[in-house]
C-alpha cells in the first residue's frame, strides 16, 4: 500500500511574488499557511530598491499575515544606479537576505532593471565581499534572440562570465527552465544554486497552445520543450543540494492575462506543494521531496531548517477554476495529494 500521509519538515519558498495592497491580502494566506519562510520578490510597481522600502514592505506583509507562523525574507531590486553602501546596509541590518537582478524589460515590472551588468560591478563586488547572494532572472532581452533561447544565451553572455569574475559571489539561478541551465548549475563552482518551479516541472511549451491559446500557462522564463522539462524533473528529484524549491508564484488578474498583450506569471501558491508531491511521486522520489522543499534552500542561505512540519495527504484535490479574480495553476484539474495542515515540531528526521 502506498503511503497515505507524508510528513515533511515545513518547507520554505525561496522565490515568490506576494504583490502589495489588496492583492497581497488576497494571496498571502496561500503561501503563509504552507511555507514557514519565503523570499519575497521586490518587483512591485514601484520596485523595492532601498532598505527602507524593504523594511516597510516587510511590515505590510507581517501586518497581513493574521496569525500564521510565517517569516518574509526581503530582497532589493538592483538598478543601474544601485549603491553598494545601501546593499551592505541591508545585509548588516538583517532586513535584506539577497539582491535581485532583473535584466531591464526581461519580465513583469522589470522596466527599472539593469541594462548592463557592467553598471552594477561595484555592487556585485560588495555583495561578494559581505556574502550577500545574488538572485538572477536569467534571460537576455535582446529582441534578436529567440524567446525560447533567452536563458541559454544568458548563460553564455552574462552568467558564466559573472560567476567567473566574482568567484566568491553566491548566485541563485532562478526558475531554471532548460537542460543547459541544469548542467551549468551542476558543473559550476561552489556557491551556485537554482530554484525550480512546480509549473516548469509539470508543463512544457505545448501547454500554451493546447486547443487554442492558453494565457494561464504563460510565464517567464517561458516553458520549453519536453526534453527540458524532463531534465528539470531529474534535477529536482536528484537530491542534489544545489536545486531547491522556489515556486515563482506570480499572481495576476485573469483579465490582465486574457488580453491582447497578456502578462507573464503563473499563480501557483494554492497548489504548489500538492504539485511538487505529485511530481516527486511520479518520479518515484517522494523520499527526496523533503531535501528539495525543506533542507537544501535553508542550507544554501545558512539558515536552520524549520522545527515544525507540514502534513500532506493522499486525497483528491480539485483545484478551483477561479480564486477571486485569478485563475490558479492547474485550474479545474485534480491532484492526488493535498496539504492536510501543519504538524507539530520535530527534532529528528521525519521521513
Ligand atoms: C513574474 C511576475 O509576474 O512578477 N512573472 C513571471 O512570469 N514569472 C516575474 C518573474 O519572476 O519573471
Ligand atoms: Zn519570479
Amino acid at each position: 500500500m502506498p503511503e497515505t500521509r507524508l510528513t515533511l519538515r515545513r518547507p520554505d519558498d525561496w522565490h515568490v511574488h506576494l504583490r502589495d495592497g489588496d492583492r497581497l491580502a488576497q494571496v498571502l494566506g496561500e503561501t503563509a499557511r504552507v511555507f514557514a519562510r519565503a523570499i519575497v520578490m521586490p518587483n512591485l510597481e514601484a520596485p523595492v530598491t532601498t532598505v527602507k522600502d524593504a523594511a516597510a514592505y516587510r511590515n505590510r506583509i507581517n501586518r497581513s499575515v493574521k496569525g500564521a507562523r510565517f517569516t518574509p525574507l526581503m530582497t532589493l531590486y538592483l538598478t543601474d544606479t544601485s549603491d553598494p553602501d545601501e546593499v551592505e546596509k541591508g545585509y548588516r541590518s538583517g532586513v535584506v537576505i539577497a539582491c535581485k537582478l532583473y535584466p531591464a524589460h526581461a519580465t513583469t515590472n522589470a522596466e527599472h532593471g539593469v541594462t548592463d551588468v557592467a553598471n552594477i560591478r561595484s555592487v556585485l563586488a560588495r555583495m561578494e565581499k559581505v556574502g550577500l547572494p545574488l538572485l538572477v532572472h536569467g534571460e537576455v532581452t535582446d529582441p534578436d534572440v529567440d524567446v525560447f533561447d533567452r536563458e541559454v544565451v544568458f548563460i553564455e553572455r552574462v552568467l558564466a562570465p559573472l560567476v567567473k569574475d566574482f568567484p566568491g559571489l553566491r548566485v541563485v539561478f532562478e526558475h531554471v527552465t532548460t537542460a543547459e541551465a541544469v548542467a551549468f548549475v551542476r558543473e559550476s563552482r561552489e556557491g551556485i544554486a537554482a530554484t525550480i518551479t512546480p509549473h516548469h516541472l509539470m508543463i512544457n511549451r505545448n501547454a500554451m497552445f493546447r486547443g487554442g491559446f492558453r494565457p494561464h500557462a504563460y510565464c517567464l522564463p517561458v516553458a520549453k520543450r519536453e526534453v527540458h522539462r524532463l531534465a528539470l524533473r531529474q534535477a529536482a528529484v536528484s537530491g542534489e543540494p544545489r536545486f531547491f524549491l522556489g515556486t515563482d508564484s506570480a499572481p495576476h488578474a485573469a483579465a490582465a492575462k486574457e488580453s491582447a498583450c497578456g502578462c507573464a506569471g503563473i499563480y501557483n501558491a494554492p497548489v504548489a506543494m500538492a504539485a511538487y508531491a505529485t511530481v516527486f511521486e511520479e518520479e518515484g522520489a517522494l523520499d527526496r521531496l523533503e531535501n528539495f522543499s525543506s533542507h537544501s534552500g535553508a542550507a544554501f542561505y545558512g539558515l536552520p531548517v524549520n522545527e515544525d512540519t507540514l502534513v500532506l495527504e493522499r486525497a483528491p484535490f480539485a483545484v478551483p477554476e477561479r480564486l477571486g479574480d485569478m485563475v490558479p495553476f492547474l485550474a479545474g484539474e485534480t491532484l492526488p495529494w493535498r496539504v492536510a495542515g501543519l504538524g507539530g515540531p520535530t527534532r529528528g528526521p521525519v521521513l
Side-chain angles (χ1 to χ4, degrees):
M1 271 293 286
E3 295 288 336
T4 57
R5 282 169 88 80
L6 186 60
T7 301
L8 306 168
R9 256 184 208 280
R10 197 159 164 219
D12 303 300
D13 185 350
W14 302 104
H15 178 132
V16 70
H17 301 268
L18 294 178
R19 313 303 192 204
D20 211 347
D22 292 346
R23 185 67 79 203
L24 168 64
Q26 193 182 10
V27 302
L28 178 59
E30 296 288 355
T31 292
R33 77 190 166 82
V34 172
F35 298 101
R37 299 170 287 206
I39 292 193
V40 184
M41 289 298 121
N43 65 330
L44 301 181
E45 276 165 42
V48 177
T49 57
T50 65
V51 184
K52 201 167 151 225
D53 293 341
Y57 185 29
R58 183 170 70 175
N59 286 341
R60 296 197 294 281
I61 296 168
N62 281 331
R63 274 201 303 273
S64 263
V65 166
K66 300 198 184 72
R69 278 175 293 164
F70 172 72
T71 306
L73 303 170
M74 309 312 290
T75 54
L76 292 183
Y77 181 120
L78 297 179
T79 70
D80 283 343
T81 57
S82 290
D83 174 3
D85 291 339
E86 183 70 14
V87 162
E88 179 165 356
K89 187 171 97 186
Y91 171 76
R92 302 236 175 261
S93 65
V95 173
V96 170
I97 188 164
C99 294
K100 175 83 190 203
L101 166 59
Y102 289 106
H105 307 290
T107 187
T108 305
N109 296 339
E111 303 76 55
H112 308 278
V114 173
T115 59
D116 185 336
V117 169
N119 297 334
I120 56 164
R121 291 189 78 83
S122 61
V123 174
L124 297 179
R126 190 71 66 87
M127 291 170 65
E128 177 182 37
K129 187 165 158 219
V130 301
L132 190 59
L134 177 71
L135 313 184
V136 179
H137 183 108
E139 289 191 288
V140 294
T141 55
D142 182 343
D144 293 340
V145 176
D146 187 283
V147 78
F148 294 99
D149 295 336
R150 287 182 183 179
E151 184 172 279
V152 171
V153 174
F154 183 87
I155 297 172
E156 293 160 16
R157 289 191 193 165
V158 184
L159 192 56
L162 185 153
V163 161
K164 234 196 207 136
D165 290 354
F166 300 91
L169 185 63
R170 302 171 63 67
V171 178
V172 183
F173 193 172
E174 302 271 47
H175 39 54
V176 287
T177 63
T178 57
E180 288 87 344
V182 166
F184 176 81
V185 170
R186 228 175 225 148
E187 290 155 18
S188 285
R189 62 163 170 79
E190 215 182 304
I192 310 299
T195 52
I196 307 182
T197 76
H199 44 282
H200 291 112
L201 295 172
M202 284 191 144
I203 62 172
N204 64 30
R205 64 192 196 175
N206 289 342
M208 284 180 292
F209 308 104
R210 188 168 43 83
F213 182 61
R214 303 269 180 178
H216 299 291
Y218 173 57
C219 66
L220 287 170
V222 71
K224 309 296 192 299
R225 285 178 184 276
E226 179 65 359
V227 63
H228 298 290
R229 185 182 77 101
L230 297 178
L232 298 171
R233 284 170 81 103
Q234 197 275 332
V237 306
S238 67
E240 291 165 71
R242 286 173 183 237
F243 299 101
F244 48 81
L245 187 156
T247 63
D248 194 19
S249 182
H252 292 277
K257 293 187 63 65
E258 297 164 5
S259 136
C261 186
C263 53
I266 293 180
Y267 177 43
N268 64 30
V271 303
M273 277 312 292
Y276 283 122
T278 301
V279 168
F280 274 68
E281 182 168 53
E282 286 167 358
E283 297 292 328
L286 270 181
D287 58 334
R288 275 176 251 154
L289 177 57
E290 194 183 43
N291 276 348
F292 178 79
S293 68
S294 319
H295 286 281
S296 299
F300 180 86
Y301 285 100
L303 295 170
V305 293
N306 298 307
E307 293 290 333
D308 50 349
T309 55
L310 182 75
V311 183
L312 300 174
E313 63 186 350
R314 185 189 302 283
F317 171 27
V319 182
E321 294 282 358
R322 277 183 95 91
L323 288 166
D325 63 343
M326 295 175 293
V327 173
F329 182 48
L330 303 175
E333 295 187 35
T334 299
L335 289 168
W337 287 94
R338 73 177 175 209
V339 170
L342 296 186
T346 176
R347 292 195 179 271
V350 288
L351 268 178

